[in-house]
Amino acid sequence: MSQSIRQFIFCCLMALSIISVSANAEGIKLKSAELERVDNDWLLNAAFQIELSPGLEDAVQKGVVLYFQTEFELNRSRWYWFDEKPALAQRQVRLSYQPLTQQYRISSEGFAFSAKTLTEALQAVGSVGGGGV
């Protein structure tokens, strides 16, 4: 195997190990959550406080993209049958750093937002608002 292929495989393994650390979610705390029914839809508003470890901050600065997956499931238990699941929702947010413009880019489901600081970017990532479930 050539040296360049070995280096590429090594870089991929390092990136996967960094990303697997982010899946632990130790630095994510729920600040608030509210669920309300409007007509025939459920609206979810939630805020998360996200704190990245120094290793993840460094990884983002060096071009590693972080993905945040928010999943919501509403269950209604029933004694006579399986639990009913009237609402299921998922949202994936992508956080990356653009060195040319020195801005953080947050994108989710066709929506894109730029932030000048990591704090602003993490606030945007941690905000779930008015999403129909």
Side-chain angles (χ1 to χ4, degrees):
M1 209 178 326
S2 72
Q3 182 67 20
S4 61
I5 292 175
R6 286 183 188 158
Q7 287 177 344
F8 176 76
I9 291 172
F10 177 75
C11 289
C12 289
L13 291 174
M14 289 301 292
L16 287 174
S17 68
I18 290 170
I19 291 171
S20 67
V21 171
S22 68
N24 198 345
E26 289 177 5
I28 301 175
K29 296 177 184 162
L30 180 64
K31 290 182 0 184
S32 65
E34 177 186 39
L35 183 66
E36 63 181 299
R37 184 151 179 115
V38 177
D39 297 326
N40 289 331
D41 291 330
W42 291 95
L43 298 179
L44 174 66
N45 295 305
F48 298 91
Q49 179 181 348
I50 302 172
E51 296 177 13
L52 297 180
S53 67
L56 285 177
E57 285 185 27
D58 189 45
V60 170
Q61 291 289 329
K62 292 182 178 178
V64 175
V65 178
L66 298 182
Y67 291 89
F68 295 85
Q69 181 82 25
T70 305
E71 297 178 0
F72 176 79
E73 182 177 303
L74 180 64
N75 291 321
R76 181 170 45 201
S77 61
R78 299 186 287 190
W79 65 271
Y80 60 91
W81 198 250
F82 298 110
D83 291 347
E84 180 185 13
K85 296 179 182 178
L88 298 168
Q90 286 186 337
R91 182 184 84 151
Q92 186 178 61
V93 180
R94 180 178 171 232
L95 172 65
S96 61
Y97 181 68
Q98 306 296 317
L100 187 61
T101 60
Q102 296 181 349
Q103 290 187 342
Y104 294 89
R105 183 129 174 111
I106 302 99
S107 56
S108 175
E109 302 169 357
F111 170 75
F113 173 79
S114 293
K116 292 185 181 207
T117 66
L118 183 58
T119 304
E120 288 177 12
L122 292 175
Q123 285 176 345
V125 169
S127 176
V128 178
V133 178

